[in-house]
Amino acid sequence: MISYARQTQEAQPEAAPPPVEEHIAPAPRVSVQAFCETVETAAAVQAAGEDRRLGKAHLKIQMGGMPAAIEAYRSAPTPNVIVLESDGRSDLLSGLDQLATVCDAGTRVVVIGRINDVMLYRELVRRGVSDYVLAPVGAIDVVRSICNLFSAPEAKAVGRIIAVVGAKGGVGASTISHNVAWAIARDLAMDAVVADLDLAFGTAGLDYNQDPPQGIADAVFSPDRVDTAFIDRLLSKCTDHLSLLAAPATLDRVYDFGTDAFDAVFDTLRSTMPCIVLDVPHQWSGWTKRALIGADDILIVAAPDLANLRNTKNLVDLLKAARPNDRPPLYCLNQVGVPKRPEIAATEFAKAIESQPVVSIPFEPQIFGSAANNGQMIAEISASHKSIEMFLQIAQRLTGRSETKKQKSSLLSPLIEKLRGK
């Protein structure tokens, strides 16, 4: 018997496109080998290997189906995951029995087939097959099947990374990201952490009125020490639901990073926090590009001028191409209505980007300046300010959650409280 992981879900009658808010956790560093019978399935598996969620997996594709797999593993060790395409029923079951004789313990098998039969599925489960996917398959079907082997269904909401970046310097992307994170924590009641990735000039510590002695730089420069306990020590508590991984904002060293410098930090945060908001600085390097492409959702903050329009268009086009199985990046307009400044209308922006902005935040230097200088969020300065509702709209779009309902108090509440006190 092959020692495969088992799943309890029944085979679905047909492959349906994923919902917009579907969250698929990335797969760890595993080896995957696929044995396909058709060119169409091989192309889908190849496209899946280019998806960000399988970015750490090592994928190899061969033609020949089950016979090729059995022959290959007679003299070679098996990978973490084997993907098999099979057209028949009896050939599939007998082939799995043969594969069991040459397969290493712990290997997981995903079967792609064309027979929609619950009895067949139960036979596959009895033999230890991890998942059965009905053909024809798309790239996202393969991604979902492989990634779900390594994440429990009840944990799908954990580890959602949201990246916020400005289309141009000075557009207020950090301010937006910090206030949106505040809304996620306060109004949506989600535990969240803000990671300030602008190590030299980050403002998250100032905006949240925090001055922690340690922060994200300690993790980036000590990747071998990064684990859950180490990251917890670096976090600064802002509210009951909101924590901060602050930037040092000092110039005593040069912050030149490799492409994967932040991977260990992000992976650890994913395993402990339901929501991670990345405050991505306005620069273009290997690690910023990797952070954006690897995020679950992206918000681009832009001001209504020509340079911002060009940069937003370039970012959206690149991220769409790099993330074909994710929803497109969202964007919002900020600092709208600066006196005497010619601006590009939101309708013109939407026409060029081919999507509407989530919100258009008006230019109000008095309240935003006061909040920044006092180390407060807009909601702390003015609880009824109209921008607070806009931050909540952004938070809901990025997380797919609605506002937590607050219990309404009745006219008898004061009397009931007095009786309880007695």
Side-chain angles (χ1 to χ4, degrees), residues 292-304:
L292 290 172
I293 292 175
D296 295 294
D297 282 288
I298 303 163
L299 175 70
I300 301 169
V301 180

Side-chain angles (χ1 to χ4, degrees), residues 60-142:
K60 183 179 179 181
I61 303 172
Q62 295 177 232
M63 303 302 291
M66 181 72 74
I70 297 171
E71 185 61 31
Y73 298 130
R74 290 189 192 278
S75 58
T78 51
N80 300 113
V81 181
I82 300 174
V83 179
L84 295 169
E85 182 182 15
S86 177
D87 287 334
R89 179 193 183 101
S90 59
D91 292 345
L92 172 59
L93 297 178
S94 62
L96 286 173
D97 292 337
Q98 294 182 57
L99 185 63
T101 64
V102 296
C103 191
D104 299 332
T107 297
R108 309 182 185 197
V109 167
V110 174
V111 174
I112 300 173
R114 287 173 170 75
I115 301 174
N116 182 16
D117 182 15
V118 172
M119 295 304 296
L120 171 62
Y121 179 79
R122 289 175 177 167
E123 275 298 311
L124 296 176
V125 170
R126 192 175 68 82
R127 282 170 165 81
V129 169
S130 301
D131 196 12
Y132 181 67
V133 186
L134 278 175
V137 295
I140 192 64
D141 300 314
V142 179

Side-chain angles (χ1 to χ4, degrees), residues 393-408:
Q393 288 180 40
I394 297 173
Q396 290 171 330
R397 287 287 298 276
L398 289 171
T399 62
R401 292 197 178 191
S402 57
E403 184 177 5
T404 302
K405 300 297 182 183
K406 298 178 180 178
Q407 188 175 3
K408 294 182 179 180

Side-chain angles (χ1 to χ4, degrees), residues 10-26:
E10 297 292 340
Q12 298 299 319
E14 59 181 357
V20 172
E21 300 297 343
E22 181 183 25
H23 177 60
I24 302 174

Side-chain angles (χ1 to χ4, degrees), residues 1 40 101 116 126 152 159 185-186 192 292 309-310 317 330 342 378 407:
M1 178 65 65
E40 292 77 13
T101 64
N116 182 16
R126 192 175 68 82
R186 188 191 70 164
L292 290 172
L309 176 57
R310 179 202 63 188
D317 289 346
L330 303 177
I378 300 300
Q407 188 175 3

